[in-house]
Amino acid sequence: MFCFQCQETAGNKGCTVKGVCGKTKDVADLQDLLIYVTKGLAQVANRKGDLGDKKEAVQDRIADNLFTTITNANFNPKTVEDYIVKTLDMKKELAQGMSDLPAEAAFDVREGLTEAAKADAIGVLATKDEDIRSLRELITYGLKGTAAYTRHANVLGFRNDEVHAFMAEALEKITDDSLSVDDLVALTLKTGENGVKAMALLDEANTTKYGHPEITEVSLEPRNNPGILISGHDLKDMEALLEQTKGTGVDVYTHSEMLPANYYPAFKKYDHFVGNYGGSWWHQKEEFASFNGPILMTTNCIVPPKDDSYLDRLYTTGVASYPGAKFIDEDEKGHKDFSGIIEQAKGCKAPEKIEEGTLVGGFAHNQVFALADKVVDAVKSGAIKKFVVMGGCDGRQRDRNYYEEFAKALPEDTVILTAGCAKYRYNKLHMGDIGGIPRVLDAGQCNDSYSLAVIAMKLQEIFGLADINELPIVYNIAWYEQKAVIVLLALLSLGVKNIHLGPTLPAFLSDNVVKVLVENFNIAPNGTVEEDIQNLILS
Ligand code: SF4
Ligand code: SF3
């Protein structure tokens, strides 16, 4: 095993024995094999060209394979093996009559996959040149993020063929030894462009189906009924759960990345949708225990339960899977039956109260545009001096306290723009408002970072600026997993410069690739809170 795809990788170098995330060696190897055969499927699909009525199935297979390997989504060797076999079957069928296939496309081992996955040719380290490896992995992780956002849009009936085609094209290109560092840098930026398209598509899907997020006060206090806690990023699952729990006496609460579901008009109409329970993903061991009722994980981030204390209450769906947790599949019509969770919930105690009060969110682009006059006036009058984009992920490492300390140290004339689970470091600090504009504007999930880019582009237009970097907006972004990688690449492709990235730079970036990012985009690692307040805000 060798995995360095997330920010918590062992020693900021790579996990080699077991994942810091809890992923076992076998699962890590199988995930590498899944990516390997997915490259093979892409090679075969690209050669075939017209896939006829198999096109969507192939596109979905490729995207689901990428999606299921993101950090903290799938810990289950059985489901990863199942994905591998399905990919091999699909590949074999498409490759009929083809010859001289590359190794990834020709691979067709069915027995002993766990052993086969250990082969030197399969994993990350199969690429010997450090810079080529770094760029190949950077692109792969960007594609994983793109695939996640694309699949959320797909399940709501929205597709962008260009994005799917790009994923297959890029997966093949990163197997091509003739590509130079410069070629791969160009492909990295193209990955970012496609990430923007994927996020725009998901934004369209979410807002068309569920309305535009609006300013919302979200309760943090549980009621006395039994409840179901839902986490992850899949809004279609959210809708289905709310529909099926209607009139059952079971309440619904969001956890972590599902918090922004509270901001959507379509979900507010359910009076058994109570609010949010707890903090960001890594607090789940304590919070899932005290919640008392069943928990539905629709995507990442799953933390392996310590002592199986709530494993019998843990459910997964979609590409998320955990050994021992119940999996809810969809039928051929795309329907998911949550009656088992609801029945279990009825026999559970109500959630224990762990905090009180409310928090405010719902500042996606439409809501911010509705406040545009106020915002522009506040900037013109100097009441708001700077906006700080502090989106991204949260994580367990102690040095992430930096983000809370940074938020606290911000001068009173600054406003935080956020999206993703990074916000839990400061969204309960009650930072007040500037002339009615809250000082923490939460756009939503990590994919709603797209909203932040749309807001920036709108402000650029209003202020008549030639360059997006002339805006009084600075970027201090926290990353953890691969969706944050695509958010970063998307921002770079939109021309955003001077991004501070932390709490550490990715281990998968080689020194030379870091140099390219510094020279072209002036990306910088975090300093101390004092240094960064000075450099980003006061200078
Ligand atoms: Fe390690 Fe992160 Fe990979 Fe898990 S996902 S094995 S923590 S690098
Ligand atoms: Fe968070 Fe996993 Fe990245 Fe979606 S829930 S931002 S870490």
Side-chain angles (χ1 to χ4, degrees), residues 47-290:
R47 275 166 185 66
K48 184 107 180 153
D50 182 7
L51 300 173
D53 59 2
K54 296 199 181 66
K55 187 172 87 177
E56 283 197 9
V58 173
Q59 291 176 339
D60 293 355
R61 182 78 272 137
I62 290 174
D64 273 349
N65 290 355
L66 289 163
F67 186 6
T68 204
T69 65
I70 59 173
T71 301
N72 293 339
N74 192 342
F75 293 84
N76 195 340
K78 291 225 164 44
T79 63
V80 184
E81 284 195 16
D82 178 47
Y83 278 45
I84 292 170
V85 171
K86 282 185 176 142
T87 308
L88 291 174
D89 288 346
M90 193 175 257
K91 183 160 69 70
K92 196 169 180 179
E93 201 188 325
L94 288 181
Q96 272 170 17
M98 291 184 190
S99 54
D100 295 328
L101 289 172
E104 295 86 350
F107 182 93
D108 195 20
V109 174
R110 305 297 174 121
E111 298 293 318
L113 288 176
T114 307
E115 280 315 301
K118 298 189 193 319
D120 287 346
I122 306 289
V124 171
L125 300 177
T127 304
K128 299 293 171 221
D129 182 290
E130 209 197 339
D131 300 325
I132 300 280
R133 183 199 303 146
S134 174
L135 288 162
R136 283 179 172 178
E137 293 309 311
L138 174 58
I139 292 163
T140 306
Y141 306 150
L143 293 176
K144 290 184 182 193
T146 304
Y149 295 150
T150 301
R151 291 302 282 146
H152 288 309
N154 291 165
V155 295
L156 294 175
F158 290 73
R159 294 189 83 82
N160 183 335
D161 259 0
E162 270 178 57
V163 175
H164 285 287
F166 175 76
M167 284 194 266
E169 179 194 317
L171 280 170
E172 175 156 13
K173 284 194 171 151
I174 55 176
T175 65
D176 183 346
D177 289 332
S178 72
L179 261 57
S180 65
V181 164
D182 286 348
D183 295 333
L184 289 170
V185 169
L187 188 61
T188 305
L189 285 185
K190 236 180 138 198
T191 307
E193 283 165 29
N194 280 275
V196 176
K197 287 182 201 161
M199 282 191 265
L201 183 75
L202 181 53
D203 182 80
E204 187 192 350
N206 287 342
T207 55
T208 306
K209 293 286 285 188
Y210 306 121
H212 283 281
E214 52 195 28
I215 305 179
T216 307
E217 206 172 337
V218 181
S219 170
L220 303 174
E221 292 176 33
R223 302 198 300 200
N224 290 327
N225 305 322
I228 297 173
L229 192 57
I230 174 169
S231 188
H233 306 68
D234 195 302
L235 295 188
K236 192 179 177 206
D237 291 336
M238 181 77 209
E239 179 187 20
L241 183 65
L242 286 170
E243 263 305 303
Q244 293 178 41
T245 41
K246 226 166 40 180
T248 61
V250 173
D251 287 339
V252 173
Y253 299 80
T254 54
H255 189 262
S256 191
E257 271 290 66
M258 199 54 93
L259 159 67
N262 287 277
Y263 312 152
Y264 284 89
F267 301 142
K268 288 183 174 187
K269 64 176 192 235
Y270 297 94
D271 52 16
H272 65 294
F273 181 18
V274 179
N276 191 67
Y277 187 84
S280 66
W281 63 272
W282 60 274
H283 299 88
Q284 66 190 246
K285 279 188 195 159
E286 298 75 33
E287 293 170 356
F288 287 5
S290 64

Side-chain angles (χ1 to χ4, degrees), residues 70-72 149 231-233 255-258 280-282 284 297 299-302 391-395 400 419-424 444-447 478-485 487:
I70 59 173
T71 301
N72 293 339
Y149 295 150
S231 188
H233 306 68
H255 189 262
S256 191
E257 271 290 66
M258 199 54 93
S280 66
W281 63 272
W282 60 274
Q284 66 190 246
M297 299 298 304
T299 59
N300 62 341
C301 280
I302 300 171
C393 306
D394 195 16
R400 288 205 184 237
C421 57
K423 61 174 154 273
Y424 284 98
Q445 298 181 333
C446 46
N447 42 289
W479 84 283
Y480 169 60
E481 39 82 26
Q482 300 76 48
K483 285 184 265 183
V485 173
V487 169

